[in-house]
Amino acid sequence: MVRCGHSVVVAATEIVPGDILLLEGGDLVAADARLIRTSVLCINEAPLTGESQAVDKFTDSVALATPLADRKNMVFLGTSVTAGTGRALVVNTGMETELGHIAKLLETAESGATPLKRRLDRVARLLLWACFGIVALIFSLGLLRGIAPFELFLSAVSLAVAAIPEGLPAVVTVALALGVQRMVQRNALVRHMASVETLGCAEVICTDKTGTLTMGEMTARKLITSESLYRITGEGYATEGAFFSGNVENLPSKSPELFALLYASAACNDAELSLLDDRPAVVGDPTEGALLVAAAKGGITRAAIETEMPRLAVVPFDSDRKRMTIIRSQESHPRAFVKGAPEVILSRCSLIRTDQGVRELTENDRSRMLQANALLAHDALRVLAVAERSLDNFSFEAGMAVNDTEIEQELTLLGLVGLQDPPRGEAKEAVVKCKRAGIKTVMITGDHPDTAWAIGHELGILGKGDEVLVGAELDRLDDEALKERVAQISVYARVTAEHKLRIVRAWKARGTVVAMTGDGVNDAPALKEASIGIAMGITGTEVTKEAADIIITDDNFASIVAAVEEGRGIYDNIAKTLAYLLAGNTGELIVMLSAILLGWPLPLLPLHLLWINLVTDGLPALALATDPVDPGVLNRPPRRSQDALFNRDFIKLTLFTGLLTAGVTLGVFAYERYIGNSLELARDAAFTALVIAELLRAFGARSEQRTIWQIGLFSNMRLFLIVAVSFGLQFAIHHVPMLQTLFQIEPVSLNQCVTWIGAGFIPLIVLELRKVIRRPGQRRRVRP
């Protein structure tokens, strides 16, 4: 930096407004500063704007209301210099910088409790008071009937234990833990376990563009020569791809004009292709890297060019000239290769290359090329023109200075190259899945509105009636107006960290469960505020990852959709397990309450209730929590966060199942008493029938619509094995003398066992027939 007219080195913490920063390639900018001198200065502003492309900087004045990404005369704390040099006057430091402003926003962001936690809290309160009421009723009625207080106390306590699904916390933990494990296999790393389920009920996904919906790697997508338009396949920096004119593949080796365009693109280039962690990468300018990749797809490498045509001189790119030239020698014949802005290059061309050779560039040719340039730009492609010139009339020596005014004239136009950070191949399908699942995808980017519109349209994010909003327009909306309009806006461009936070808050104000994805520091406040924050694992900053609930290890939007699928499956498993447990507990309560109201002896002893609740209910419930995700889970709309876990259909099915199970249990108890058997044998019958009914019902509890034979009896082997083991334990009670004494039961015959098991099948058969009888049009979801 410069102080008192001298260049000095000071700690970043000692920089104050009024200092002058000296900037050169590789430097980290230590404060927000106004540029006063530049020389081909480029700044990487990805931490602030999220856009991976380096920004050219100038000293020209800009309006105060200019969006952050368009402030070309400013450099900001936390960004880095990628090329060139410059001087800048410090205007803000510390918390007054743009990065400091983001830190303040991060402190104000709050995510709140997850939907699952809110639902389970309501369920817990409801169950607690319901159990207190029912147990108090049973205890009071028992006292009126003259049942011994101690016996009644044991039964009431046992019934309270049975009525509360104390296995539910374990079930929720197991379901979430298994979901976390599966999500790791699908490239999603979970930092907060409860967030797994939250993602499953997401109604809106606000996603960054660069690196998430797109590759984050500049790619040549279209080439235009004098006679043809070529479409280039392949993604990112991978060198696999082909060239298509219409639907016909063209080989550069058989098309002279295409080969010449690719060759010149690689010859006029300073970038290099390499591997980084076994992934293709570019060293140098991403735009030049994209040209190298396109040439490599045609079998042309820069290494081969350097061998065939050694470099003699370079006229570097300049923001005023808007072009770059490299002069090479082939067998002592110098040749210039030029690339730059189409209007600049075209004005310096007098010839054009065709498949038949080189001819004069006519006004019609010039008009067609300018029109082609406009069409590519309309598709949000960055367009470069490429040209060449034979320099046999000039003499060069390696490293000598070049008069660009003389060299960059009478060029031969080779064609145009359209470049873009392309959408990921799987992102479009993922957006379609989101729409089918009732999830709205919103793209938020710091990029130019035209680029945002093009990508949003190509991916299907922009539908009929959807709007594109620019950050400057968003500033003119107050929070209430934004809340009203936010549902119609699918793409945001030129936004800041504060804009992203406001967008998330607007969705949350509508009662929506919103997920937010991002990678830059500017995304961190919105990630923390969102119902579920998702950071990118490859390009994400440490600040963003710390604020997130889930980290996507491959930076791929499709992995987010896969995580949503897992989240929905986890909630389904928790809900079906809760329904299974509550239906069984309801049956036990009805059995005990009915017996007291009818004046019968208690059909179940306290130890029977505990056995049923802890072993034959708890273990199958844990197995239900491991059920595979339903393949059609993304074919239904998301749950609303305001919906209660106990809705009318849920309560009706729970009561119906409980009454059915209680009816079978009381039926076998009454039958054994009716034929004159002992109370112990009748209790044994009720105990066994209830246990068998609960174990078998676990198979039917796996789905509300699909029957056992549609799901497959062995599709959840954990459940099958647990039911089989529980069957074995129940039979052991009848044949091991010590267990017979403990449970106060008598030895039984095989015929009695078969009869009680047959009775235990009744609830499962009735519930499965109910699924078959109900027509698809009449089916309603029991769980929200």
Side-chain angles (χ1 to χ4, degrees):
M1 61 174 295
V2 177
R3 275 185 180 174
C4 301
H6 300 284
S7 297
V8 294
V9 177
V10 300
T13 54
E14 297 178 10
I15 293 176
V16 296
D19 285 339
I20 294 177
L21 301 179
L22 299 178
L23 304 173
E24 60 182 24
D27 286 348
L28 289 175
V29 180
D32 287 5
R34 169 72 159 85
L35 288 166
I36 55 178
R37 185 184 304 170
T38 63
S39 176
V40 199
L41 183 65
C42 292
I43 303 290
N44 177 14
E45 295 184 346
L48 280 180
T49 65
E51 298 308 312
S52 57
Q53 286 296 104
V55 180
D56 296 328
K57 293 292 183 175
F58 315 101
T59 57
D60 301 339
S61 298
V62 297
L64 290 176
T66 302
L68 181 67
D70 290 330
R71 296 178 197 171
K72 307 291 188 181
N73 64 343
M74 293 286 296
V75 291
F76 302 100
L77 174 66
T79 61
S80 58
V81 181
T82 60
T85 59
R87 290 192 175 199
L89 178 67
V90 175
V91 293
N92 287 313
T93 60
M95 294 301 288
E96 300 304 315
T97 62
E98 292 295 331
L99 202 61
H101 179 58
I102 293 173
K104 293 176 183 176
L105 293 176
L106 193 57
E107 292 177 357
T108 65
E110 297 180 357
S111 58
T114 66
L116 178 63
K117 186 178 185 302
R118 292 195 295 268
R119 285 188 174 99
L120 291 179
D121 286 344
R122 289 196 293 265
V123 169
R125 288 192 296 268
L126 179 61
L127 287 177
L128 182 64
W129 288 110
C131 287
F132 275 143
I134 293 172
V135 170
L137 176 63
I138 291 175
F139 192 84
S140 301
L141 292 174
L143 287 176
L144 291 176
R145 284 198 51 233
I147 299 176
F150 182 70
E151 180 185 353
L152 191 60
F153 174 76
L154 288 178
S155 296
V157 171
S158 301
L159 196 60
V161 172
I164 297 176
E166 67 280 343
L168 187 60
V171 166
V172 172
T173 302
V174 168
L176 292 175
L178 288 174
V180 168
Q181 185 179 18
R182 288 197 299 263
M183 288 175 74
V184 168
Q185 297 170 354
R186 303 182 76 170
N187 302 313
L189 181 63
V190 179
R191 297 186 67 247
H192 304 130
M193 195 158 64
S195 62
V196 176
E197 183 276 333
T198 307
L199 188 58
C201 57
E203 299 167 83
V204 174
I205 298 179
C206 296
T207 176
D208 188 26
K209 175 185 73 69
T210 305
T212 307
L213 293 172
T214 65
M215 293 294 299
E217 299 172 349
M218 189 63 74
T219 305
R221 304 194 70 188
K222 292 181 180 179
L223 300 176
I224 293 180
T225 61
S226 62
E227 299 174 1
S228 302
L229 165 65
Y230 296 94
R231 175 175 54 88
I232 310 175
T233 62
E235 294 182 348
Y237 296 146
T239 56
E240 293 80 19
F243 302 85
F244 287 86
S245 179
N247 294 323
V248 179
E249 182 177 354
N250 293 78
L251 297 176
S253 58
K254 296 183 178 180
S255 175
E257 60 172 357
L258 176 59
F259 183 87
L261 175 56
L262 294 173
Y263 192 95
S265 298
C268 185
N269 209 301
D270 283 327
E272 293 182 8
L273 299 182
S274 63
L275 288 177
L276 180 63
D277 296 330
D278 296 326
R279 296 176 65 250
V282 166
V283 178
D285 184 77
T287 299
E288 292 194 333
L291 296 176
L292 281 186
V293 171
K297 292 174 182 177
I300 302 167
T301 64
R302 185 183 155 194
I305 292 175
E306 296 290 350
T307 302
E308 296 172 4
M309 302 183 69
R311 183 181 302 208
L312 295 177
V314 176
V315 183
F317 177 85
D318 183 271
S319 57
D320 294 326
R321 298 174 61 251
K322 296 183 180 180
R323 60 188 182 276
M324 169 189 181
T325 299
I326 291 182
I327 300 171
R328 297 181 177 276
S329 173
Q330 185 176 28
E331 298 177 355
S332 301
H333 296 285
R335 180 173 294 275
F337 297 95
V338 187
K339 68 175 185 289
E343 62 276 10
V344 173
I345 300 300
L346 274 169
S347 67
R348 295 172 175 272
C349 289
S350 58
L351 303 171
I352 187 170
R353 177 177 287 279
T354 69
D355 273 344
Q356 286 73 42
V358 176
R359 63 171 173 80
E360 184 180 352
L361 179 70
T362 65
E363 285 303 315
N364 183 49
D365 293 329
R366 198 181 304 275
S367 176
R368 283 192 304 108
M369 284 298 178
L370 289 173
Q371 186 178 8
N373 173 48
L375 290 174
L376 292 179
H378 182 266
D379 289 338
L381 272 69
R382 180 181 181 184
V383 187
L384 291 176
V386 181
E388 64 179 1
R389 180 187 179 185
S390 175
L391 301 175
D392 286 340
N393 297 328
F394 294 81
S395 60
F396 296 96
E397 295 181 6
M400 68 177 289
V402 175
N403 186 337
D404 57 286
T405 304
E406 296 181 4
I407 298 299
E408 296 169 342
Q409 298 291 340
E410 299 180 7
L411 302 175
T412 299
L413 180 66
L414 302 178
L416 305 179
V417 183
L419 306 108
Q420 188 185 57
D421 178 11
R424 290 179 180 268
E426 60 273 29
K428 187 172 184 178
E429 182 182 353
V431 171
V432 171
K433 283 185 177 180
C434 282
K435 286 189 176 182
R436 192 164 58 238
I439 302 172
K440 181 178 179 67
T441 304
V442 177
M443 186 174 75
I444 304 177
T445 178
D447 212 336
H448 192 277
D450 291 343
T451 304
W453 180 90
I455 297 296
H457 188 268
E458 184 172 351
L459 289 174
I461 293 174
L462 280 170
K464 187 177 181 181
D466 289 339
E467 301 177 22
V468 179
L469 193 71
V470 181
E473 299 175 52
L474 198 154
D475 284 330
R476 293 192 287 270
L477 298 176
D478 60 25
D479 291 342
E480 191 60 33
L482 179 60
K483 176 185 171 183
E484 294 300 318
R485 283 190 62 186
V486 72
Q488 285 74 49
I489 303 170
S490 293
V491 173
Y492 296 85
R494 283 292 189 252
V495 294
T496 64
E498 189 170 6
H499 292 148
K500 295 180 180 183
L501 188 59
R502 288 188 62 201
I503 293 165
V504 169
R505 285 175 173 169
W507 277 113
K508 291 181 70 176
R510 297 172 65 95
T512 302
V513 177
V514 55
M516 175 73 197
T517 75
D519 54 4
V521 174
N522 62 328
D523 298 314
L527 261 67
K528 186 178 178 181
E529 178 76 23
S531 308
I532 179 78
I534 306 170
M536 300 297 105
I538 298 174
T539 59
T541 61
E542 291 304 316
V543 174
T544 310
K545 293 176 184 177
E546 187 65 27
D549 301 296
I550 293 176
I551 298 173
I552 300 300
T553 57
D554 63 348
D555 289 13
N556 195 334
F557 184 76
S559 296
I560 301 174
V561 179
V564 170
E565 184 178 20
E566 290 292 344
R568 289 193 177 187
I570 288 166
Y571 179 84
D572 284 351
N573 286 347
I574 293 172
K576 74 177 67 167
T577 302
L578 180 61
Y580 170 74
L581 289 172
L582 290 183
N585 294 351
T586 301
E588 296 164 31
L589 288 172
I590 293 174
V591 166
M592 301 298 283
L593 182 60
S594 299
I596 290 177
L597 291 174
L598 293 171
W600 292 359
L602 294 178
L604 300 170
L605 296 176
L607 190 59
H608 295 165
L609 291 171
L610 294 176
W611 174 263
I612 294 169
N613 201 48
L614 297 176
V615 180
T616 56
D617 275 359
L619 293 178
L622 288 173
L624 279 174
T626 69
D627 233 15
V629 177
D630 184 349
V633 73
L634 288 180
N635 293 333
R636 62 176 188 247
R639 304 178 310 279
R640 293 180 300 173
S641 59
Q642 301 92 336
D643 289 344
L645 190 58
F646 286 173
N647 60 22
R648 181 177 299 177
D649 291 333
F650 183 94
I651 294 172
K652 283 168 60 177
L653 181 58
T654 300
L655 289 175
F656 176 74
T657 305
L659 286 168
L660 191 60
T661 306
V664 169
T665 304
L666 292 170
V668 296
F669 179 79
Y671 175 76
E672 293 295 335
R673 295 286 288 167
Y674 175 75
I675 63 177
N677 286 329
S678 66
L679 176 60
E680 287 74 16
L681 191 63
R683 281 175 172 162
D684 191 4
F687 176 41
T688 302
L690 182 56
V691 167
I692 299 301
E694 288 297 292
L695 290 175
L696 293 174
R697 195 171 56 80
F699 292 117
R702 295 180 62 193
S703 175
E704 298 160 12
Q705 286 88 30
R706 293 190 297 161
T707 58
I708 292 176
W709 51 88
Q710 290 174 325
I711 300 174
L713 192 62
F714 303 106
S715 57
N716 185 340
M717 283 303 297
R718 293 186 185 92
L719 179 62
F720 182 83
L721 292 174
I722 283 177
V723 170
V725 170
S726 299
F727 257 89
L729 291 173
Q730 188 66 27
F731 289 141
I733 291 174
H734 294 89
H735 296 92
V736 177
M738 183 178 67
L739 295 178
Q740 290 174 353
T741 304
L742 179 64
F743 284 90
Q744 300 180 29
I745 61 177
E746 299 177 352
V748 295
S749 66
L750 179 61
N751 287 337
Q752 286 175 313
C753 273
V754 171
T755 301
W756 299 342
I757 291 173
F761 268 94
I762 293 174
L764 176 64
I765 293 171
V766 172
L767 291 170
E768 293 301 294
L769 287 175
R770 176 178 175 272
K771 295 177 185 177
V772 174
I773 292 171
R774 295 174 72 201
R775 296 196 302 273
Q778 294 177 326
R779 293 177 182 169
R780 291 180 294 175
R781 286 186 51 77
V782 174
R783 297 189 293 272

